[in-house]
Amino acid sequence: MRPKVLQLITEGKTKKVWETENPDLVILEFKDDITAFDGAKHDVISGKGAINAAISAKIFEHLNKNGIPTHFVEFVAPRYHVVRRLEMIPLEVVCRNIATGHLVKRLPMIKDGTRLEFPVLEFYLKDDKLHDPLINDHHVVLLKLASWKEIEEMKKITLRVNEVLRTFFEERGLILVDFKLEFGRDRNGKLLVGDELNGDAMRIWDMYTGKILDKDVYRKGYPLDEVLVRYREFYRRVVGADFPGEEVCLAT
Ligand code: 5GP
């Protein structure tokens, strides 16, 4: 049953978090805002929030079905997720299958587009003012962000998510280049995958044309209507139908 919404807990760049009458559940609202470069670039694309909410819901449902512990409870169209309330860990856990983005900037001896021999895991501190610096396991423990045991658990879950999602996307003619997970603890201290999983948090290429279907098109400066076309295409491939537009969603 859908819990009643109370007040706003917090508002981020692309999502709002609402308190509910159930203290263990919160509601995420996906906004139409799109940002890049730690918020330095910002636009609003009508429909983007609904597209991302629907994609994220499909992916989280698939992870839940595969026994991966996540916060996701229910999708409320067009742009809301009911999720378990978590104490979020300010870390971004990145998993890479193909070298691109920051990896090739940092290590230019690895050619952009190289398929990596094994999935490469990285931790970034979630801090816009510091531009999300790359940190290692020792830094995570030193900063008291997570214990050694939790680090191992986050790595294990991230690798499992990678296996499950690689297959999920391959079946849809898509390549999972890399992705970012965020974790939180529930009231019992159990680690769950939180946040969102869509084109804002992963790189996805069309297997046949190589077309980018994620936020990189925005980062690279494509016109906003083309960004929307790519997000709609990602929606079509994941959901299996054309994005109906928000008005139609709201009417259903
Ligand atoms: P890179 O480190 O190459 O910029 O990104 C690696 C992967 O993590 C990409 O799929 C990218 O979308 C995701 N990622 C990295 N940092 C962030 C971030 O601050 N926010 C979001 N939503 N995704 C990120």
Side-chain angles (χ1 to χ4, degrees):
M1 222 211 13
R2 197 174 304 167
K4 209 166 117 205
V5 178
L6 302 177
Q7 62 194 24
L8 188 67
I9 299 173
T10 180
E11 177 163 1
K13 286 176 282 189
T14 59
K15 289 190 298 299
K16 290 180 184 172
V17 185
W18 296 92
E19 191 183 16
T20 73
E21 57 196 343
N22 181 336
D24 287 328
L25 298 177
V26 293
I27 288 183
L28 301 185
E29 176 181 346
F30 289 69
K31 305 196 293 182
D32 283 336
D33 299 63
I34 183 164
T35 71
F37 313 121
D38 304 319
K41 181 172 161 126
H42 172 236
D43 286 282
V44 175
I45 302 178
S46 178
K48 183 253 183 189
I51 290 173
N52 267 5
I55 293 171
S56 199
K58 277 276 172 217
I59 294 176
F60 270 106
E61 278 163 13
H62 190 68
L63 295 181
N64 282 352
K65 228 188 285 163
N66 280 274
I68 293 164
T70 84
H71 72 160
F72 182 80
V73 176
E74 188 190 354
F75 175 40
V76 181
R79 59 171 73 232
Y80 304 95
H81 283 193
V82 181
V83 299
R84 296 197 188 289
R85 188 175 198 143
L86 301 179
E87 174 214 349
M88 292 305 290
I89 301 174
L91 278 180
E92 297 185 341
V93 185
V94 167
C95 177
R96 302 177 188 273
N97 296 307
I98 293 178
T100 192
H102 278 113
L103 180 66
V104 296
K105 274 208 193 88
R106 207 166 32 243
L107 301 171
M109 65 288 276
I110 306 176
K111 217 174 132 251
D112 204 323
T114 308
R115 184 163 280 283
L116 299 166
E117 273 171 53
F118 51 86
V120 171
L121 298 186
E122 298 169 340
F123 289 114
Y124 293 84
L125 178 65
K126 207 171 141 71
D127 187 324
D128 276 350
K129 279 198 264 15
L130 296 178
H131 306 294
D132 297 351
L134 175 70
I135 59 175
N136 69 21
D137 304 22
H138 286 247
H139 301 137
V140 172
V141 175
L142 199 65
L143 294 171
K144 300 194 171 15
L145 302 177
S147 66
W148 294 107
K149 194 163 159 260
E150 286 176 323
I151 290 173
E152 287 318 305
E153 181 73 5
M154 285 191 279
K155 287 183 181 172
K156 207 174 99 192
I157 294 172
T158 305
L159 289 174
R160 179 77 187 125
V161 168
N162 189 43
E163 276 174 28
V164 168
L165 290 190
R166 272 170 69 156
T167 310
F168 176 87
F169 286 124
E170 262 168 37
E171 287 166 0
R172 289 158 176 80
L174 301 170
I175 298 171
L176 177 61
V177 176
D178 55 31
F179 62 94
K180 180 259 312 177
L181 295 183
E182 293 187 24
F183 288 87
R185 303 177 189 95
D186 69 10
R187 68 152 79 225
N188 303 312
K190 184 177 158 63
L191 275 181
L192 303 179
V193 178
D195 199 49
E196 61 183 317
L197 282 166
N198 47 45
D200 279 12
M202 56 182 65
R203 289 194 173 96
I204 292 286
W205 296 345
D206 185 292
M207 197 181 278
Y208 307 104
T209 63
K211 256 193 175 177
I212 298 169
L213 299 181
D214 60 78
K215 198 167 79 173
D216 259 358
V217 283
Y218 178 70
R219 295 190 189 98
K220 288 173 190 284
Y222 285 54
L224 294 184
D225 52 358
E226 182 60 21
V227 175
L228 182 59
V229 165
R230 304 292 178 102
Y231 272 64
R232 288 181 80 120
E233 175 62 14
F234 190 24
Y235 175 102
R236 196 179 66 77
R237 304 284 276 271
V238 170
V239 176
D242 284 330
F243 176 61
E246 216 167 334
E247 295 74 10
V248 181
C249 274
L250 279 168
T252 57

